[in-house]
Amino acid sequence: MLVVGGWISSRTDPATADLSDADAGTVTQLPDLPWAADALDAVTLQDGRVLVTGGHIAAGIPTAEAAIYEPTIGQWVSVDPMRTARLKHFSVVLGDGRVLVMGGDIGNESITATTEIFDPATLTFTFGPDMGEPRYKFPGGALALNDNRVLIAGGGRSAEIVDIESGTTSVVAGFQQVGSFATLSRLGNGDFIIIGGYDDRITLRRTALIVASATVGDRSGPV
């Protein structure tokens, strides 16, 4: 498990990175991330490398920095920055190996609905389709389907599908309250469940919502 960045104390965001091996019971210190931040995001690519993006680098200030951890050499490899500086955003790996980076705070609590797509072959970011509403604080709140669509349910007032190929979005469920940190999981029967989170007043929600697989649809076989 790769552990990188985070928050130590007030105004102290580390650039440190560690590799935890549960089987061996060891923690190995790695070279520092090229920038110090908390509220960043990390996602494992299909080839085992790890893409780390953005984060909070000073009061109310996000960064567009991005880097890949290359486990075969134990080093960070710099890539082009994101098109938009983000913190408290979320990323998922698409079926074709690209990465969809979604939402986040773009500075001074300004939440964005924008997305961008990272291509591991070119190490570059391009703009993706906008989500139907601004979202942040939604780790675990989105899942990639197998046809380059993404189901997103955390950090907003709806569950929506972003279609990368067509550049469109569609709402499949709505909530009365925002669901910051709500999680999205797939059940054994193919349906999806959205659980918990907190609302605009930071009051914990006791809600759970099932979204049927038929509602989500799938143009290329089982999700």
Side-chain angles (χ1 to χ4, degrees):
M1 179 175 63
L2 177 66
V3 182
V4 59
W7 185 87
I8 295 177
S9 62
S10 179
R11 300 182 182 179
T12 304
D13 303 323
T16 55
D18 298 288
L19 190 65
S20 174
D21 187 328
D23 291 332
T26 59
V27 176
T28 304
Q29 185 172 350
L30 301 176
D32 284 356
L33 186 69
W35 69 97
D38 72 341
L40 40 70
D41 187 67
V43 63
T44 303
L45 305 177
Q46 289 183 345
D47 60 7
R49 295 179 298 167
V50 179
L51 173 68
V52 178
T53 56
H56 180 252
I57 57 173
I61 300 177
T63 180
E65 291 286 344
I68 285 179
Y69 176 68
E70 175 56 78
T72 60
I73 61 174
Q75 297 290 332
W76 293 99
V77 177
S78 294
V79 303
D80 284 352
M82 294 187 292
R83 296 302 184 97
T84 302
R86 306 170 188 270
L87 63 92
K88 298 180 182 178
H89 52 297
F90 188 51
S91 307
V92 295
V93 178
L94 302 172
D96 62 10
R98 293 179 297 167
V99 177
L100 181 67
V101 183
M102 303 163 283
D105 184 337
I106 58 175
N108 296 315
E109 299 185 357
S110 178
I111 308 169
T112 184
T114 63
T115 74
E116 48 194 289
I117 300 169
F118 176 75
D119 188 337
T122 62
L123 304 182
T124 59
F125 293 86
T126 56
F127 289 113
D130 286 356
M131 297 181 290
E133 63 174 312
R135 297 177 188 267
Y136 80 145
K137 297 180 179 179
F138 61 121
L143 290 173
L145 308 180
N146 66 355
D147 52 4
N148 280 350
R149 295 183 303 150
V150 177
L151 177 61
I152 309 169
R157 297 179 181 274
S158 67
E160 62 177 296
I161 293 175
V162 174
D163 190 318
I164 307 303
E165 303 307 327
S166 68
T168 60
T169 64
S170 57
V171 174
V172 296
F175 322 126
Q176 292 183 342
Q177 301 170 322
V178 71
S180 296
F181 297 108
T183 61
L184 172 67
S185 303
R186 186 182 178 220
L187 300 174
N189 64 357
D191 293 343
F192 299 86
I193 185 168
I194 304 159
I195 299 177
Y198 66 71
D199 62 20
D200 291 329
R201 298 184 179 182
I202 317 184
T203 299
L204 294 178
R205 306 192 314 172
R206 298 172 61 93
T207 58
L209 176 67
I210 301 292
V211 178
S213 59
T215 301
V216 173
D218 187 9
R219 299 184 294 272
S220 59
V223 173

